Amino acid sequence: MKIEEIKLEDLQPQKFIEEKVKEISSVAGDGLVINALSGGVDSSTVTMLGHRALGDRLKTYFIENGIMRRGEPQMVVSLFKKLGVSVEMVDAKNEFFNALKGLTGPEQKREAITQVFYKDVFGRLVKESGVKYLLQGSNYTDVEETVAGVKRQHNILEQLGIDTQQQYGYKVIEPIIQLRKPAVREVAKTLGLPEQIYNRPPFPGPALAARIIGEVTQKRVEVVRAATKIVEEELSDTGAFQYMAILHQDKVTGVRDGKRDYGLQIELRCWESKDAVTGSPTRLSYEALEKLAERITTEVPGVVSVTYNVTKKPPSTIEAV
Ligand code: XMP
């Protein structure tokens, strides 16, 4: 299937919403549809589109995969409750960590997350509820990067020739597949989502696992989660496109209280970008960088080194994995 991009300048958000609501209703018929909400702008937008189209016939889940940011599951569920959308939390932490055990290759980890998400967790939800469709927020950039072979984006299936009906037992509906992020933000705003959502920096489907080089264990997720909290507190006012903390696999020699401390390395990235296709590092002030290094090495146990990445995309990518 050839997907045609709807460019931001050609987008008529209200018309787009009306068309997609109609499309979702007609595909779903009088059946139930499920979707997973992560709280990012993409999944929030399709949740609202689906909710408009189907009301209570859309069952929305938050998959607690153990690799989200601190407080995120509770924040997303309560925010959507205020918008009239009830979200059920599914605890799948053990499934994700078991699948990630021992894996170190980036594409291996991405593949494992995709399988647990689509085959195990959704496969089960679909079987239990008898639904035929999964509504999801894959966007145009996800398709482009996956098809070009840059990175296997977790939510790209059909475009890789995967027959979801045959492999997982359900079909997918992808209402925003023709839009890039800035266009999705316009639709989100027009749908009445709060600014906290429509202007939210992107966050990858594989969550903090995209920011851990090497094996993803609960302990290593804790390190990157604590560093992420600090980075978000310190950089949210910059207006940058995305900012993140990455945990390296190699340890380095440090010194603490006059003694050798063989510890962890955190790499910081902060990006200027329009649509994540290309990007350049934000010219953060030296004071901001020093404060980040100070906070991370004192507040995150085990970290002895903090670096800032000054590489553009390309050749870097935005996330490390
Ligand atoms: P990269 O790292 O490929 O990221 O330069 C481009 C943009 O996409 C986000 N990203 C993902 N989003 N599923 C998603 O929905 C994924 O598997 C995924 N991987 C990366 C990333 O945060 C950036 O905004």
Side-chain angles (χ1 to χ4, degrees):
M1 181 180 63
K2 172 96 179 79
I3 299 161
E4 224 170 277
E5 181 188 354
I6 302 175
K7 296 217 155 73
L8 182 61
E9 58 269 30
D10 299 327
L11 175 76
Q12 295 176 270
Q14 199 58 52
K15 190 162 161 258
F16 178 88
I17 291 167
E18 282 160 24
E19 279 171 14
K20 292 298 160 185
V21 165
K22 253 194 225 148
E23 249 175 66
I24 297 167
S25 305
S26 96
V27 173
D30 53 12
L32 291 174
V33 173
I34 59 169
N35 83 309
L37 172 68
S38 68
V41 64
D42 299 340
S43 69
S44 297
T45 300
V46 298
T47 298
M48 293 314 281
L49 286 172
H51 193 69
R52 280 210 188 169
L54 307 169
D56 287 347
R57 286 189 295 118
L58 176 70
K59 288 216 42 103
T60 299
Y61 296 96
F62 184 98
I63 311 299
E64 167 50 305
N65 51 18
I67 46 180
M68 298 302 273
R69 287 169 289 189
R70 193 176 290 165
E72 186 120 45
Q74 298 72 19
M75 187 279 279
V76 173
V77 172
S78 79
L79 194 146
F80 274 80
K81 195 169 175 196
K82 285 192 204 126
L83 295 169
V85 179
S86 74
V87 182
E88 194 177 316
M89 190 111 76
V90 175
D91 184 355
K93 291 196 281 290
N94 290 340
E95 279 167 279
F96 279 92
F97 282 117
N98 284 339
L100 286 163
K101 206 180 233 152
L103 303 184
T104 52
E107 292 297 296
Q108 273 181 321
K109 292 191 286 186
R110 285 178 166 265
E111 175 65 17
I113 289 168
T114 296
Q115 288 303 333
V116 178
F117 210 73
Y118 289 98
K119 192 156 164 254
D120 304 343
V121 177
F122 281 121
R124 188 169 61 245
L125 291 173
V126 161
K127 255 195 217 127
E128 283 168 6
S129 57
V131 308
K132 293 195 179 68
Y133 291 99
L134 169 73
L135 181 71
Q136 69 165 2
S138 335
N139 69 34
Y140 194 78
T141 311
D142 297 338
V143 178
E144 206 173 50
E145 294 223 326
T146 302
V147 173
V150 176
K151 257 179 212 188
R152 162 76 190 264
Q153 306 278 313
H154 81 292
N155 51 4
I156 297 304
L157 305 162
E158 278 179 6
Q159 294 76 21
L160 286 176
I162 295 170
D163 181 337
T164 58
Q165 179 66 54
Q166 201 185 26
Q167 290 207 17
Y168 308 131
Y170 54 83
K171 290 201 165 97
V172 294
I173 309 175
E174 299 176 307
I176 58 165
I177 198 114
Q178 292 170 278
L179 308 181
R180 290 188 196 272
K181 207 61 121 194
V184 181
R185 292 194 195 286
E186 271 308 302
V187 174
K189 192 172 170 185
T190 311
L191 278 164
L193 282 159
E195 184 174 2
Q196 180 192 358
I197 294 285
Y198 72 71
N199 261 345
R200 209 166 184 212
F203 188 68
L208 297 175
R211 299 175 181 174
I212 294 177
I213 302 174
E215 192 182 5
V216 180
T217 61
Q218 299 220 32
K219 214 168 136 199
R220 303 192 81 220
V221 169
E222 268 317 314
V223 173
V224 93
R225 184 178 278 140
T228 300
K229 176 100 176 46
I230 296 169
V231 171
E232 294 193 348
E233 278 169 13
E234 294 294 330
L235 299 182
S236 63
D237 287 344
T238 57
F241 180 78
Q242 240 176 310
Y243 27 85
M244 62 195 69
I246 291 157
L247 175 61
H248 280 221
Q249 190 164 19
D250 290 341
K251 285 181 152 190
V252 288
T253 299
V255 55
R256 224 183 262 280
D257 303 326
K259 284 210 183 87
R260 172 186 152 88
D261 185 0
Y262 191 50
L264 304 169
Q265 302 190 73
I266 289 284
E267 173 191 327
L268 307 176
R269 295 184 183 186
C270 183
W271 293 101
E272 299 302 312
S273 176
K274 275 213 299 285
D275 51 17
V277 178
T278 58
S280 53
T282 304
R283 295 191 167 214
L284 292 175
S285 73
Y286 212 84
E287 287 71 26
L289 290 168
E290 272 182 337
K291 185 157 182 223
L292 280 161
E294 181 65 29
R295 281 197 64 189
I296 291 170
T297 48
T298 48
E299 294 174 37
V300 186
V303 178
V304 297
S305 167
V306 175
T307 55
Y308 185 55
N309 192 321
V310 291
T311 318
K312 289 184 176 167
K313 174 181 179 178
S316 177
T317 54
I318 299 226
E319 306 288 345
V321 165

